Amino acid sequence: MPMTLSGQFINLLAALLLLIAFAMLSQRRILSLINLFALQGLVLTISTLIVAYSTNQGHLYYSAAITLVLKVIILPWILHRLIRKLNIQWDIETLINIPTTMLIGIVLVIFSFNLALPISQLAGTVTRATLGIAMASVLLSFLMMITRHKAVPQVIGFLAMENGLFFAATSATYGMPLVVELGIALDVLVGMFILGIFFFQIRETFNSMDLRHMEKLKED
Amino acid sequence: MMTPYSGILFQLLQSLLVVLAAPLLLGWVNQCRAWLSNRSGAGLLQPYRGLRKLLHKDAVLAETASPLFRATPYVLFGCMWLAAGVVPVLATDLPYAPAADVIALVGIFALARVFLALAAMDIGTSFGTLGARREMLVAFLAEPALLMVFFTASLISHSTSLSTIVETLAHSQAVIYPSLAFAALAFVMVLLAENARIPVDNPATHLELTMIHEAMILEYSARHLALIEWASSIKLLTYFAIGIALFLPWGIVEGNNWAGLPLALGALLLKLTVAGAGLALLETVSAKMRIFRAPEFLGTAFLLGVLGMLTHFLLES
Amino acid sequence: MSTVISALPIDFAGAIILFWLALGSIGLALQSRPRWITLLIFPASAAASLLLAATGLWALGETPDVALLPLGLPDLPFHLRLDALSAFFLLLLGAASFGITLYAAGYFRSMPGGTLGLLTLEYHVFLASMALVLVADDAYLFMVAWESMALSSYFLVTTDHKIPAIRSAGYLYLLLAHVGAIAILLCFGVMQGGHGDFTFAAMRASELTEFWASAAFLLALFGFGAKAGLLPLHVWLPEAHPAAPSPVSALMSGVMLKTAIYGLLRVTFDLLPMQLWWWGVLLLTLGLATAFFGVVFAAVQSDMKRLLAYSSIENIGLILVGIGLGLLFHSYKMGGLAALAITAALYHCLNHAFFKGLLFLGTGSVLHATGERNLGRLGGLMRRMPWVAWLTLVGTLAIAGLPPLNGFVSEWLLLQAFLLTPGLPHSYLNMLVPVAAAALALAAALAAYVMVKFYGIVFLGQSREEKLSEAHDAGIWEKLGMGWLALGCLALGLFPVSVILRLDAVTQLVTGHALGATAAQTGWLFLTPMAPERASYSPLFFLIVIATVVALTFFAVRRFYHGRLKRGPAWDCGYPAQTPRMQDTAEGFGQPIRQIFEFFFKIEREVPDPFDREPRYHGKTEDRLWYWLYLPVARVVERASALMGKMQHGRIHVYLMYSFVTLLVLLAFSR
């Protein structure tokens, strides 16, 4: 079925988003994870801009600007500084059986695609077909948080989940009210600062960023 | 104009072109690699000189070689010639084209590979079995990944016949298919694995423990080696042609229309030049992976192929 | 044709069954003269097989015949029926057993007379009962034939009963065969729908609710699946098939497993009044799991017959995938696609009988010549046994699914059935179908790996043991048998359109649609299942082009350059002490698969220390299902029987009290 050029471009960017979510699932190096997260933010910005242009929704331009500043510039900068301070920037962690994780990822993708199909038919936006991909990236980021056992990658998974939710909002309802967006952005920023402090504490207590050490905290 | 004889002539022309031009493509890729490494390179015609040198030599066979070993280079060459005839390099709807669809094309490559692996095991040294084992390991993931790429294209064009796929994709209205984007990525990874290029295998290595493809042909010499090397270069050209047919199909003639031949040839030349340079660039910036990272690499390609099919169902139907 | 010959196909089939039983009895009587058995009985039996195959082929194009025999129960005589489905499987039985029996004529020539006589009886009872299963038209005859098939094959498996491992393999086989038979019996009980009439005709007409139809389907799946080797009821296959003598293994793998497929097809499509979509999904999933499981386990085996047994499990999985897919499409009334899937499944049944039979016969010759089953002690046999090696190569290439042989055709048809845009109502199913196609492609690629390992380690390379230099090639009977099967592989691969046209009658019976017209629409040379623009394949073309190029290149190189050849030692990279044992072992070749799929297996390995004076390596790869499913079930059964055993304590007045209480109860309730 013939689709407008902007519609096709948005589909392509959605596919790219899914690809980045999978890539983050299988990435071992923390440095590449942060770069992938920044790339995800960039893809999100471009797609929001296209939606803003093709549907003439003014507030989406501001949305895109906030995303660009926060997710492509500020947050990656904070993360880079954090890992330099913690001295883990060249860290490579071992992952739990990559093929199995990828297979579970595929199952999650099928699940979210099927879940999204009836909802897509109800939504009235030009990007409704991408709702499934948005849900899939949320679930994949969640999976990423589960399968990691170092602190920083888990946090990146949490941030990627927020990205997925943002994309879902854009595709289903042309973005959230600006007030809500500003509130979420502020929450994320403050959260990063607090988590940074936590990381230093964890490192001091266990001398490592491996979260499996937290099991020692339980009472025996 | 559309007599059956002209079709056969066109088919013969296409097959001959692919077979004769394959070493030239290999020469171009090697020349680009040399330029990127700041060397002056051996020239575009070096593979031809290599083939001629090998054909002049006396063949030396191991004492333990069987008739299967001696027959394999010829069978390999025959399979690649068939593949060159089936893939729509210059034109679709040629006489050979209905003989094989994409699944049968994968079958041809599998036949060639199994024969080579068996020949490698024939001599009975550890190098041959090493090469055979590694090749079958790479193949068992690369072949399904290739099939997934083909399936994505066939879901879009509702057919597994390469001619129909090319015709549909060249005339389609939608400009960007995200599922094909996934498939293209997977295809590039499979191309690197199946043709023994970096990052899966180093075609210029002489350290046996790092070899995959080279270890299988370690015992071959003279005309047998010439045929195998020629078959490998035909395989590379055929893979490029498949990639062009699936992802950049504009310019391919439809039917045996002689008038469109110059444009098809020109388009093919341009695409192959760019693709060859791209391959050289990819090889120069990547490092060869450890052998046990290869299943991960190919597993990623397989998953990308599956993702491509799923994306088709979501975004394009 | 029935007017020229006054007999019907079913009369021929019946006569052949009786002839086989007679041959078996004569064989037992002639046990003091083994030469007569191998030179007269087996060739005569082979001739009967060929006649049965011809009968099957003839009956494919005819209307169904019915016959009634006065044997059996008083109010249920034996009903026999020969329709297209039975005819196809009779063709399979006849064609495969022709090659196998010819081979057996040569293989058993060195067996002692007493054992040989018994074996001949068991062998022919086995063949006759399989044929009887295929033409049975009522539940009683079916169960009688099924049981005699199980019993005769049990005795065949335990031919070398002096070895304890073989005895336990036979016991496991008998146990699971009977568990399956109970399920089949219950299934027949459900299907007769309370009328008490156990003929198949009555079952066809009975009306069942969805619940009872599903119950019957699940029981049939369990029962026939146990015989076919469906996951998780497969544990007997890797034990029993290697334990039997090679011609028997070939017959069991090639033909007996297909009678289970026949049973499943008969019950699901013919006897049950409805076909539900979730049956198809269940069958598809189980088939995929079985296929994957079989091939992954085959990759880590070091016994060549066990490897082939696991490969049979994989192929049965593929057949069940085809049937499941056909069931799914049929339940949604997509006739054309259902016909394609069922054609693929039936074609694969025929193919598997031929190439698996050929492979087992090849291993039989190797075993006979070398006495070794362990892959780690074979190698380099191509020089000593060229006939066996080249014929087995045909079988290996066929089973790996390579064009232009027959394995590729059925896999191609199956993949086409997956790809031809289903458009199923449930979106989950729509997306599951390509993922299933991906899993299928993966299993098929692994099968090629396994077969390269099998062929390469047994026949290629150098001999790993010195005694292998005394190996001898196969005799004339073995060559004839294997040659027939190899020829079959080639013919089935090169002329798929003719085969599909013959299969039309069967798919018409099963799904109500046939593929032949569309498949042959561009002539017999090209196979076009739906339309030429959608997909087409011409295996003969492949063969001609490759052969032409090979010949032309050979002559061109000789003409323009030269054909000089020298022999020299193999490249050893400077290591002086190269021995044949430095080649890959079976475990070595399968190591990448073992590493990637580690979680499938239960592996125990004993690896030597580098400072060990007498290093020893020991590896054992086991099936997890044995520990997760079978041993717990066995423990529960044992505990239950122990509880029951408490009732038996030898005191007479307690037993008298049991009888007294039962009498009182009966008197009270029978008023």
Side-chain angles (χ1 to χ4, degrees), chain C residues 134-172:
Chain C
L134 295 174
V135 293
D137 197 40
D138 70 83
Y140 183 64
L141 176 60
F142 191 91
M143 291 312 298
V144 166
W146 192 261
E147 282 293 323
S148 37
M149 189 173 80
L151 280 176
S152 52
S153 52
Y154 166 73
F155 285 116
L156 283 169
V157 163
T158 52
T159 309
D160 290 326
H161 53 88
K162 303 231 170 48
I163 305 173
I166 292 188
R167 282 202 303 270
S168 56
Y171 174 71
L172 186 60

Short mmCIF file of all heavy atoms in Angstrom, two decimals, chain C residues 134-172:
data_model
loop_
_atom_site.label_atom_id
_atom_site.label_comp_id
_atom_site.label_asym_id
_atom_site.label_seq_id
_atom_site.Cartn_x
_atom_site.Cartn_y
_atom_site.Cartn_z
N LEU C 134 -1.37 -51.94 7.32
CA LEU C 134 -1.71 -50.94 6.32
C LEU C 134 -3.04 -51.20 5.64
O LEU C 134 -3.65 -50.28 5.12
CB LEU C 134 -0.59 -50.86 5.27
CG LEU C 134 0.74 -50.37 5.81
CD1 LEU C 134 1.80 -50.47 4.73
CD2 LEU C 134 0.64 -48.95 6.28
N VAL C 135 -3.49 -52.46 5.63
CA VAL C 135 -4.77 -52.71 4.95
C VAL C 135 -5.90 -53.02 5.93
O VAL C 135 -7.01 -53.31 5.51
CB VAL C 135 -4.68 -53.88 3.93
CG1 VAL C 135 -3.79 -53.50 2.79
CG2 VAL C 135 -4.23 -55.14 4.59
N ALA C 136 -5.64 -52.92 7.24
CA ALA C 136 -6.68 -53.26 8.20
C ALA C 136 -7.81 -52.25 8.14
O ALA C 136 -7.56 -51.05 8.01
CB ALA C 136 -6.09 -53.29 9.61
N ASP C 137 -9.04 -52.73 8.23
CA ASP C 137 -10.18 -51.83 8.20
C ASP C 137 -11.05 -51.95 9.42
O ASP C 137 -12.16 -51.42 9.46
CB ASP C 137 -11.02 -52.09 6.94
CG ASP C 137 -11.95 -50.96 6.63
OD1 ASP C 137 -11.55 -49.79 6.78
OD2 ASP C 137 -13.11 -51.23 6.25
N ASP C 138 -10.59 -52.67 10.44
CA ASP C 138 -11.32 -52.61 11.70
C ASP C 138 -10.32 -52.64 12.84
O ASP C 138 -9.18 -53.05 12.66
CB ASP C 138 -12.35 -53.74 11.81
CG ASP C 138 -11.70 -55.07 11.98
OD1 ASP C 138 -11.34 -55.43 13.14
OD2 ASP C 138 -11.53 -55.77 10.97
N ALA C 139 -10.76 -52.21 14.00
CA ALA C 139 -9.83 -51.99 15.10
C ALA C 139 -9.18 -53.29 15.54
O ALA C 139 -8.00 -53.30 15.91
CB ALA C 139 -10.55 -51.33 16.27
N TYR C 140 -9.93 -54.42 15.50
CA TYR C 140 -9.38 -55.66 16.02
C TYR C 140 -8.21 -56.14 15.16
O TYR C 140 -7.14 -56.45 15.67
CB TYR C 140 -10.48 -56.72 16.07
CG TYR C 140 -10.03 -58.02 16.66
CD1 TYR C 140 -9.63 -58.08 17.99
CD2 TYR C 140 -9.98 -59.17 15.90
CE1 TYR C 140 -9.19 -59.26 18.54
CE2 TYR C 140 -9.55 -60.36 16.44
CZ TYR C 140 -9.15 -60.39 17.76
OH TYR C 140 -8.71 -61.57 18.30
N LEU C 141 -8.43 -56.18 13.85
CA LEU C 141 -7.34 -56.63 12.97
C LEU C 141 -6.15 -55.69 13.09
O LEU C 141 -5.00 -56.11 13.13
CB LEU C 141 -7.83 -56.67 11.51
CG LEU C 141 -6.75 -57.03 10.49
CD1 LEU C 141 -6.17 -58.38 10.80
CD2 LEU C 141 -7.32 -57.01 9.09
N PHE C 142 -6.46 -54.38 13.20
CA PHE C 142 -5.38 -53.40 13.32
C PHE C 142 -4.53 -53.72 14.55
O PHE C 142 -3.30 -53.75 14.50
CB PHE C 142 -5.99 -52.01 13.43
CG PHE C 142 -4.99 -50.90 13.31
CD1 PHE C 142 -4.69 -50.34 12.08
CD2 PHE C 142 -4.32 -50.41 14.43
CE1 PHE C 142 -3.77 -49.32 11.97
CE2 PHE C 142 -3.40 -49.41 14.33
CZ PHE C 142 -3.12 -48.85 13.08
N MET C 143 -5.20 -53.94 15.70
CA MET C 143 -4.43 -54.18 16.93
C MET C 143 -3.68 -55.50 16.85
O MET C 143 -2.55 -55.59 17.33
CB MET C 143 -5.34 -54.18 18.16
CG MET C 143 -5.92 -52.83 18.51
SD MET C 143 -4.73 -51.49 18.55
CE MET C 143 -3.65 -52.00 19.83
N VAL C 144 -4.31 -56.54 16.27
CA VAL C 144 -3.61 -57.84 16.13
C VAL C 144 -2.35 -57.64 15.30
O VAL C 144 -1.25 -58.07 15.68
CB VAL C 144 -4.53 -58.89 15.47
CG1 VAL C 144 -3.73 -60.08 15.02
CG2 VAL C 144 -5.61 -59.31 16.44
N ALA C 145 -2.50 -56.95 14.16
CA ALA C 145 -1.34 -56.75 13.30
C ALA C 145 -0.30 -55.86 13.99
O ALA C 145 0.91 -56.12 13.90
CB ALA C 145 -1.78 -56.11 11.98
N TRP C 146 -0.76 -54.83 14.69
CA TRP C 146 0.16 -53.92 15.37
C TRP C 146 0.98 -54.66 16.42
O TRP C 146 2.19 -54.50 16.53
CB TRP C 146 -0.68 -52.81 16.03
CG TRP C 146 0.08 -51.64 16.54
CD1 TRP C 146 0.45 -51.42 17.82
CD2 TRP C 146 0.55 -50.53 15.80
NE1 TRP C 146 1.13 -50.24 17.93
CE2 TRP C 146 1.20 -49.67 16.69
CE3 TRP C 146 0.49 -50.16 14.45
CZ2 TRP C 146 1.77 -48.47 16.29
CZ3 TRP C 146 1.06 -48.97 14.05
CH2 TRP C 146 1.70 -48.14 14.97
N GLU C 147 0.30 -55.49 17.21
CA GLU C 147 1.00 -56.23 18.25
C GLU C 147 1.99 -57.21 17.66
O GLU C 147 3.10 -57.37 18.17
CB GLU C 147 0.00 -56.98 19.13
CG GLU C 147 -0.68 -56.11 20.13
CD GLU C 147 0.29 -55.60 21.18
OE1 GLU C 147 1.19 -56.37 21.58
OE2 GLU C 147 0.16 -54.44 21.58
N SER C 148 1.58 -57.92 16.58
CA SER C 148 2.53 -58.89 16.01
C SER C 148 3.71 -58.16 15.40
O SER C 148 4.85 -58.65 15.44
CB SER C 148 1.88 -59.79 14.97
OG SER C 148 0.95 -59.10 14.21
N MET C 149 3.48 -56.93 14.89
CA MET C 149 4.59 -56.14 14.39
C MET C 149 5.56 -55.82 15.54
O MET C 149 6.78 -55.98 15.40
CB MET C 149 4.03 -54.84 13.79
CG MET C 149 5.02 -54.01 13.05
SD MET C 149 4.20 -52.64 12.24
CE MET C 149 4.01 -51.51 13.56
N ALA C 150 4.98 -55.41 16.69
CA ALA C 150 5.84 -55.06 17.83
C ALA C 150 6.59 -56.28 18.33
O ALA C 150 7.80 -56.21 18.60
CB ALA C 150 5.00 -54.45 18.95
N LEU C 151 5.90 -57.40 18.46
CA LEU C 151 6.55 -58.60 19.00
C LEU C 151 7.61 -59.13 18.06
O LEU C 151 8.72 -59.47 18.49
CB LEU C 151 5.50 -59.68 19.27
CG LEU C 151 4.74 -59.51 20.57
CD1 LEU C 151 3.67 -60.57 20.68
CD2 LEU C 151 5.68 -59.61 21.75
N SER C 152 7.29 -59.21 16.78
CA SER C 152 8.29 -59.76 15.86
C SER C 152 9.51 -58.86 15.80
O SER C 152 10.64 -59.33 15.75
CB SER C 152 7.71 -59.97 14.46
OG SER C 152 7.10 -58.79 14.02
N SER C 153 9.28 -57.53 15.85
CA SER C 153 10.45 -56.65 15.82
C SER C 153 11.24 -56.75 17.12
O SER C 153 12.46 -56.63 17.11
CB SER C 153 10.05 -55.21 15.53
OG SER C 153 9.06 -54.79 16.41
N TYR C 154 10.55 -57.01 18.23
CA TYR C 154 11.28 -57.21 19.49
C TYR C 154 12.22 -58.40 19.37
O TYR C 154 13.39 -58.33 19.78
CB TYR C 154 10.30 -57.42 20.64
CG TYR C 154 10.95 -57.95 21.89
CD1 TYR C 154 11.76 -57.15 22.68
CD2 TYR C 154 10.79 -59.28 22.28
CE1 TYR C 154 12.38 -57.64 23.81
CE2 TYR C 154 11.40 -59.77 23.40
CZ TYR C 154 12.20 -58.95 24.17
OH TYR C 154 12.81 -59.46 25.28
N PHE C 155 11.70 -59.51 18.81
CA PHE C 155 12.57 -60.68 18.68
C PHE C 155 13.71 -60.43 17.71
O PHE C 155 14.81 -60.92 17.88
CB PHE C 155 11.75 -61.89 18.25
CG PHE C 155 10.93 -62.45 19.37
CD1 PHE C 155 9.56 -62.45 19.32
CD2 PHE C 155 11.54 -62.94 20.51
CE1 PHE C 155 8.81 -62.95 20.36
CE2 PHE C 155 10.81 -63.44 21.56
CZ PHE C 155 9.43 -63.43 21.48
N LEU C 156 13.42 -59.63 16.68
CA LEU C 156 14.49 -59.30 15.74
C LEU C 156 15.55 -58.44 16.40
O LEU C 156 16.75 -58.64 16.19
CB LEU C 156 13.91 -58.56 14.53
CG LEU C 156 13.19 -59.42 13.52
CD1 LEU C 156 12.45 -58.56 12.53
CD2 LEU C 156 14.18 -60.31 12.79
N VAL C 157 15.11 -57.47 17.23
CA VAL C 157 16.07 -56.58 17.90
C VAL C 157 16.97 -57.39 18.82
O VAL C 157 18.17 -57.16 18.92
CB VAL C 157 15.33 -55.47 18.68
CG1 VAL C 157 16.25 -54.81 19.69
CG2 VAL C 157 14.75 -54.45 17.75
N THR C 158 16.39 -58.39 19.50
CA THR C 158 17.19 -59.15 20.46
C THR C 158 17.77 -60.41 19.84
O THR C 158 17.92 -61.42 20.51
CB THR C 158 16.34 -59.53 21.68
OG1 THR C 158 15.17 -60.17 21.20
CG2 THR C 158 15.96 -58.32 22.48
N THR C 159 18.12 -60.35 18.56
CA THR C 159 18.74 -61.51 17.91
C THR C 159 20.01 -61.92 18.62
O THR C 159 20.28 -63.09 18.84
CB THR C 159 19.07 -61.19 16.44
OG1 THR C 159 17.91 -60.67 15.82
CG2 THR C 159 19.51 -62.43 15.71
N ASP C 160 20.83 -60.91 18.97
CA ASP C 160 22.06 -61.22 19.72
C ASP C 160 21.78 -61.14 21.20
O ASP C 160 22.42 -60.39 21.92
CB ASP C 160 23.14 -60.18 19.39
CG ASP C 160 23.63 -60.33 17.97
OD1 ASP C 160 23.68 -61.46 17.49
OD2 ASP C 160 23.95 -59.29 17.37
N HIS C 161 20.85 -61.96 21.67
CA HIS C 161 20.35 -61.73 23.02
C HIS C 161 21.36 -62.09 24.11
O HIS C 161 21.10 -61.90 25.28
CB HIS C 161 19.06 -62.52 23.26
CG HIS C 161 19.20 -63.97 22.94
ND1 HIS C 161 19.63 -64.89 23.85
CD2 HIS C 161 18.99 -64.65 21.79
CE1 HIS C 161 19.67 -66.08 23.28
NE2 HIS C 161 19.28 -65.96 22.02
N LYS C 162 22.54 -62.61 23.71
CA LYS C 162 23.51 -62.94 24.75
C LYS C 162 24.16 -61.69 25.33
O LYS C 162 24.76 -61.72 26.38
CB LYS C 162 24.61 -63.83 24.14
CG LYS C 162 24.04 -65.09 23.52
CD LYS C 162 24.76 -66.32 24.04
CE LYS C 162 24.09 -67.62 23.64
NZ LYS C 162 23.72 -67.75 22.24
N ILE C 163 24.07 -60.56 24.62
CA ILE C 163 24.68 -59.33 25.11
C ILE C 163 23.66 -58.59 25.97
O ILE C 163 22.57 -58.29 25.51
CB ILE C 163 25.11 -58.46 23.92
CG1 ILE C 163 26.01 -59.27 22.99
CG2 ILE C 163 25.82 -57.21 24.39
CD1 ILE C 163 26.34 -58.56 21.72
N PRO C 164 24.00 -58.26 27.23
CA PRO C 164 23.00 -57.65 28.12
C PRO C 164 22.50 -56.29 27.64
O PRO C 164 21.32 -55.99 27.82
CB PRO C 164 23.74 -57.50 29.46
CG PRO C 164 25.10 -57.97 29.25
CD PRO C 164 25.26 -58.55 27.90
N ALA C 165 23.39 -55.51 27.00
CA ALA C 165 22.93 -54.19 26.54
C ALA C 165 21.81 -54.34 25.52
O ALA C 165 20.86 -53.57 25.50
CB ALA C 165 24.11 -53.44 25.92
N ILE C 166 21.93 -55.38 24.67
CA ILE C 166 20.90 -55.59 23.65
C ILE C 166 19.60 -56.05 24.30
O ILE C 166 18.50 -55.65 23.90
CB ILE C 166 21.40 -56.60 22.60
CG1 ILE C 166 22.54 -55.94 21.82
CG2 ILE C 166 20.29 -57.04 21.68
CD1 ILE C 166 23.00 -56.72 20.65
N ARG C 167 19.73 -56.87 25.36
CA ARG C 167 18.50 -57.32 26.03
C ARG C 167 17.77 -56.13 26.65
O ARG C 167 16.55 -56.01 26.54
CB ARG C 167 18.84 -58.33 27.13
CG ARG C 167 19.13 -59.71 26.62
CD ARG C 167 18.92 -60.73 27.71
NE ARG C 167 19.72 -60.48 28.90
CZ ARG C 167 20.95 -60.95 29.09
NH1 ARG C 167 21.50 -61.71 28.18
NH2 ARG C 167 21.61 -60.66 30.18
N SER C 168 18.52 -55.22 27.31
CA SER C 168 17.83 -54.09 27.94
C SER C 168 17.26 -53.15 26.90
O SER C 168 16.19 -52.56 27.11
CB SER C 168 18.74 -53.36 28.91
OG SER C 168 19.90 -52.94 28.27
N ALA C 169 17.94 -53.02 25.75
CA ALA C 169 17.39 -52.18 24.69
C ALA C 169 16.07 -52.77 24.20
O ALA C 169 15.09 -52.06 24.01
CB ALA C 169 18.38 -52.10 23.52
N GLY C 170 16.04 -54.10 24.03
CA GLY C 170 14.82 -54.74 23.60
C GLY C 170 13.69 -54.57 24.60
O GLY C 170 12.54 -54.32 24.24
N TYR C 171 14.05 -54.67 25.89
CA TYR C 171 13.02 -54.53 26.93
C TYR C 171 12.40 -53.14 26.88
O TYR C 171 11.17 -52.98 26.94
CB TYR C 171 13.65 -54.79 28.29
CG TYR C 171 12.73 -54.53 29.44
CD1 TYR C 171 11.65 -55.36 29.69
CD2 TYR C 171 12.92 -53.42 30.26
CE1 TYR C 171 10.80 -55.10 30.72
CE2 TYR C 171 12.06 -53.16 31.30
CZ TYR C 171 11.01 -54.01 31.53
OH TYR C 171 10.15 -53.74 32.56
N LEU C 172 13.27 -52.11 26.79
CA LEU C 172 12.77 -50.73 26.72
C LEU C 172 11.85 -50.56 25.52
O LEU C 172 10.78 -49.94 25.60
CB LEU C 172 13.95 -49.79 26.64
CG LEU C 172 13.66 -48.31 26.70
CD1 LEU C 172 12.98 -47.96 28.00
CD2 LEU C 172 14.93 -47.51 26.56
#
